[in-house]
């Protein structure tokens, strides 16, 4: 949405004066400095459901959009696909503050919106309504958010706009496109953050996938066997897994490995015996681990994700994102690597011998 300037709000939000709000306010602690925090930037359109407002903007233009927002600024938005994820981040922060009261190694959520500042009051009112701890706003007025993402030392950017996500990835910022939640979204934990990652072109580079796309499955297996002791290069979300691992170790240091509020998963269509070794050796060399690793040998990911119940699942191929979403998982597309340049095949339903995504 075009506008002449961006506005950043970082001061405390004015919260309603009910007893619950007062209790929350009195328990607040200072926000961490961006350079110390794990910064998650979320767009307003993925944190909240703004489909109707977006439709008004696209069909009637800026002025009608602003008028509608102002007329409805006391009506809170409903939660969007990133809402449970952000609530889980806050749950982790609560546990971290209990164990490390002085530490600034916390999640810090920044709300990014390309909306005009006139629409900001409704967002603030919505955040207060849902009792979210979000103090940093950036209203870019239609300008690119990339400069602000860098200034905030952003570790992950979630948006509904694929073009902005691609722009962020090109600048080396971990990013993914989120979609509206399915009609029947899987219930997720309120006390444990669960994040699931695809392997190639997400945690790792797309090197192996390029071999598969160019030369087929047999050459891919041959390549992986020959290079099983050669580490894979990093992918766009390796740094975010690294950040999660850093916080996990703070819980381990307090003997809380079995009660850690962060759990990570590798969910890949690689097969364990023929191509899993290289992936696990690469993670180990980085000093990283996932709590669980699922090598599906080309089988659909949706049913496994339905059991995991992650707050978010990252994949670079849309058919995996769509398959997960159809079964109730909130999934995010990482538009990175060779899969974005070639037509994507849909794997046969429940066919474990279909390796059309075997490098994933």
């Amino acid at each position: 949405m075009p506008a002449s300037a961006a506005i950043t709000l970082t001061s405390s939000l004015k919260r309603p004066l009910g007893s619950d709000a007062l209790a929350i306010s009195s328990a607040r602690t200072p926000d961490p400095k961006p350079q110390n925090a794990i910064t998650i930037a979320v767009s307003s359109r993925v944190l909240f459901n703004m489909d109707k407002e977006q439709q008004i903007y696209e069909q009637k233009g800026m002025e009608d959009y602003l008028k509608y927002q102002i007329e409805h600024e006391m009506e809170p938005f409903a939660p969007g696909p990133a809402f449970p994820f952000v609530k889980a981040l806050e749950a982790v922060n609560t546990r971290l503050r209990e164990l490390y009261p002085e530490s600034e190694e916390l999640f810090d959520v920044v709300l990014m919106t390309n909306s005009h500042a006139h629409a900001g009051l409704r967002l603030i009112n919505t955040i207060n309504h849902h009792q979210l701890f979000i103090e940093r706003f950036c209203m870019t007025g239609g300008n690119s958010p990339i400069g602000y993402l860098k200034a905030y030392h952003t570790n992950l950017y979630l948006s509904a706009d694929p073009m902005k996500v691609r722009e962020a990835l090109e600048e080396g910022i971990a990013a993914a496109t989120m979609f509206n939640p399915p009609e029947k979204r899987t219930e997720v934990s309120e006390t444990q953050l669960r994040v699931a990652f695809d392997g190639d072109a997400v945690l790792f580079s797309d090197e192996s996938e390029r071999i598969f796309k160019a030369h087929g499955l047999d050459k891919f297996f041959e390549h992986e066997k020959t290079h099983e002791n050669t580490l894979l290069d990093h992918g766009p979300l390796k740094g975010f897994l690294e950040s999660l691992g850093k916080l996990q170790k703070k819980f381990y240091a307090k003997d809380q490995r079995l009660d850690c509020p962060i759990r990570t998963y590798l969910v890949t269509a690689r097969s364990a015996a023929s191509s899993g070794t290289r992936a696990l050796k690469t993670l180990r060399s980085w000093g990283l681990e996932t709590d669980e690793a699922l090598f599906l040998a080309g089988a659909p990911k949706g049913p496994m994700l339905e059991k995991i119940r992650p707050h978010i699942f990252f994949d670079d191929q849309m058919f995996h994102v769509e398959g997960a979403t159809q079964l109730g998982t909130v999934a995010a597309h990482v538009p990175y690597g060779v899969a974005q340049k070639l037509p994507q095949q849909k794997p046969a339903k429940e066919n474990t011998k279909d390796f059309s995504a075997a490098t994933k």
Side-chain angles (χ1 to χ4, degrees):
M1 298 173 190
S4 59
I7 294 179
T8 302
L9 301 180
T10 58
S11 59
S12 295
L13 303 180
K14 183 178 180 181
R15 298 189 176 274
L17 297 179
S19 58
D20 290 343
L22 288 175
I24 292 170
S25 179
S26 64
R28 292 191 64 79
T29 56
D31 293 300
K33 298 180 179 65
Q35 63 268 31
N36 298 330
I38 296 173
T39 300
I40 312 297
V42 295
S43 77
S44 56
R45 286 174 55 202
V46 298
L47 184 56
F48 304 121
N49 187 332
M50 300 178 66
D51 288 350
K52 182 176 183 179
E53 290 73 17
Q54 183 67 15
Q55 188 176 42
I56 290 172
Y57 170 71
E58 292 174 354
Q59 294 180 356
K60 298 184 179 180
M62 172 65 81
E63 296 308 314
D64 280 5
Y65 167 83
L66 291 176
K67 180 182 178 183
Y68 181 87
Q69 292 285 48
I70 292 170
E71 289 175 348
H72 295 80
E73 66 184 22
M74 298 308 295
E75 299 176 14
F77 294 111
F83 189 93
F85 175 66
V86 169
K87 292 291 287 185
L89 299 179
E90 293 182 352
V92 174
N93 278 356
T94 297
R95 291 279 303 277
L96 284 168
R97 287 190 171 107
E98 291 171 354
L99 297 174
Y100 301 93
E102 304 301 320
S103 176
E104 288 195 340
E105 288 185 292
L106 301 163
F107 290 112
D108 188 22
V109 178
V110 178
L111 183 65
M112 305 293 296
T113 173
N114 66 348
S115 191
H116 193 285
H118 285 319
L121 282 177
R122 190 177 183 195
L123 289 170
I124 292 174
N125 290 336
T126 299
I127 284 174
N128 289 334
H129 171 81
H130 292 294
Q131 297 184 351
L132 295 174
F133 294 117
I134 299 178
E135 300 288 4
R136 305 189 202 278
F137 276 36
C138 193
M139 303 180 209
T140 67
N143 291 334
S144 169
I146 300 303
Y148 303 104
L149 293 174
K150 289 183 175 181
Y152 277 119
H153 303 271
T154 300
N155 298 90
L156 176 68
Y157 173 49
L158 300 174
S159 173
D161 188 332
M163 296 303 294
K164 288 187 173 66
V165 167
R166 288 178 183 273
E167 189 179 356
L169 287 170
E170 289 170 0
E171 293 295 325
I173 299 168
T177 308
M178 295 191 77
F179 303 92
N180 286 327
E183 292 183 7
K184 186 179 180 181
R185 187 168 63 198
T186 301
E187 290 187 12
V188 293
S189 173
E190 295 181 357
T191 58
Q192 184 181 62
L193 170 66
R194 299 177 187 176
V195 183
F197 299 88
D198 177 29
D200 296 277
V202 175
L203 291 180
F204 313 124
S205 72
D206 68 340
E207 169 206 325
S208 297
E209 189 172 349
R210 287 178 179 274
I211 299 295
F212 170 70
K213 295 291 187 184
H215 304 291
L217 189 61
D218 290 341
K219 285 293 184 182
F220 162 72
F221 286 141
E222 180 183 326
H223 177 269
E224 291 303 290
K225 186 65 177 177
T226 302
H227 295 84
E228 69 176 24
N229 292 315
T230 302
L231 302 179
L232 289 158
D233 199 359
H234 67 84
L237 264 69
K238 180 248 188 178
F240 181 53
L241 176 61
E242 202 167 36
S243 297
L244 294 177
K246 185 178 179 181
L247 291 187
Q248 283 181 309
K249 289 175 181 176
K250 292 173 76 71
F251 290 99
Y252 302 165
K254 297 290 186 177
D255 197 28
Q256 294 196 15
R257 178 181 284 269
L258 298 181
D259 190 33
C260 182
I262 303 173
R263 193 164 184 83
T264 56
Y265 304 79
L266 172 65
V267 182
T268 172
R270 281 175 176 257
S271 59
S274 57
S275 56
T277 299
R278 192 179 184 197
L280 293 179
K281 284 185 175 180
T282 297
L283 288 174
R284 180 186 294 175
S285 75
W286 291 342
L288 299 178
E289 58 180 289
T290 56
D291 295 289
E292 299 185 30
L294 285 73
F295 293 91
L296 302 183
K301 298 181 180 182
M304 291 298 170
L305 292 165
E306 190 177 19
K307 301 301 181 184
I308 292 171
R309 296 175 179 265
H311 291 86
I312 191 168
F313 165 60
F314 297 99
D315 202 293
D316 70 303
Q317 301 203 43
M318 276 303 300
F319 64 77
H320 285 312
V321 171
E322 292 167 355
T325 300
Q326 288 168 5
L327 293 180
T329 296
V330 173
H333 181 232
V334 182
Y336 176 86
V338 68
Q340 315 311 312
K341 303 173 183 178
L342 298 171
Q344 295 190 19
Q345 296 174 289
K346 290 190 176 182
K349 292 182 179 179
E350 304 300 331
N351 182 1
T352 58
K353 294 184 179 180
D354 180 356
F355 293 98
S356 62
T359 66
K360 296 302 303 119

